[in-house]
Amino acid sequence: MSAILVLHGPNLNLLGMREPGVYGNLTLDDINARCISLGQELGVEVRCFQSNHEGALIDALHEARHWAIGVVFNPGGYTHTSVALRDAIAAIGLPVVEVHLSNVYAREEFRHHSMISAVCRGKISGLGWRSYMLGLRYLIEMINEKTP
């Protein structure tokens, strides 16, 4: 079975209690369970990882190149600041879909720019937990289209 990494950046471990009006009421465990369930439905193993540390996220991306066929990534606050994550995505050779729970374009100006978008295959923003579901579906469909 093929595997996909669902990667969560800083502060996403606080989902469900962190600004529910912005990020919703689901916990990270709830979102992970939905991603894993959708992956099973679509015939793909989903492995989830969250860290508040940039280096751990980079390490997870580097390791994924050995076992994953793609990545769904919510870089959280690192979206707007991390050249290192951008470079890691560019280096691993896997398709990556950027996702965000909130509509970053309806928020503060600094959130309108993503350091990683240019090296991702797509970006889904503002649909709450459904951003992950759509990102996962898109990634699987994109990969399957390349497979004979």
Side-chain angles (χ1 to χ4, degrees):
M1 180 185 285
S2 300
I4 288 177
L5 172 62
V6 174
L7 189 58
H8 311 280
N11 298 312
L12 295 171
N13 58 304
L14 298 178
L15 289 176
M17 65 180 101
R18 175 185 177 212
E19 300 177 82
V22 175
Y23 299 107
N25 294 317
L26 292 182
T27 67
L28 185 62
D29 287 341
D30 295 334
I31 291 172
N32 285 341
R34 289 176 185 214
C35 288
I36 291 167
S37 178
L38 179 59
Q40 289 171 341
E41 179 184 317
L42 299 175
V44 174
E45 176 188 1
V46 172
R47 300 181 195 177
C48 303
F49 179 77
Q50 186 276 330
S51 181
N52 294 320
H53 305 283
E54 185 177 32
L57 296 168
I58 292 167
D59 288 345
L61 287 165
H62 289 182
E63 291 166 14
R65 67 190 164 94
H66 298 295
W67 58 265
I69 58 172
V71 179
V72 173
F73 187 20
N74 183 344
Y78 288 133
T79 303
H80 325 289
T81 62
S82 183
V83 173
L85 282 169
R86 180 249 176 251
D87 290 350
I89 292 167
I92 62 171
L94 293 173
V96 176
V97 176
E98 177 183 359
V99 299
H100 297 279
L101 296 162
S102 68
N103 179 355
V104 296
Y105 300 107
R107 299 185 65 197
E108 303 91 342
E109 180 72 27
F110 75 88
R111 296 184 192 275
H112 298 187
H113 177 71
S114 169
M115 296 295 291
I116 72 163
S117 289
V119 292
C120 291
R121 298 290 178 93
K123 177 177 184 173
I124 300 169
S125 171
L127 303 176
W129 60 270
R130 290 171 185 84
S131 294
Y132 283 92
M133 302 299 102
L134 290 172
L136 190 55
R137 282 186 183 277
Y138 170 70
L139 183 62
I140 292 168
E141 288 176 13
M142 178 182 50
I143 290 167
N144 286 339
E145 287 174 3
K146 291 186 174 184
T147 306

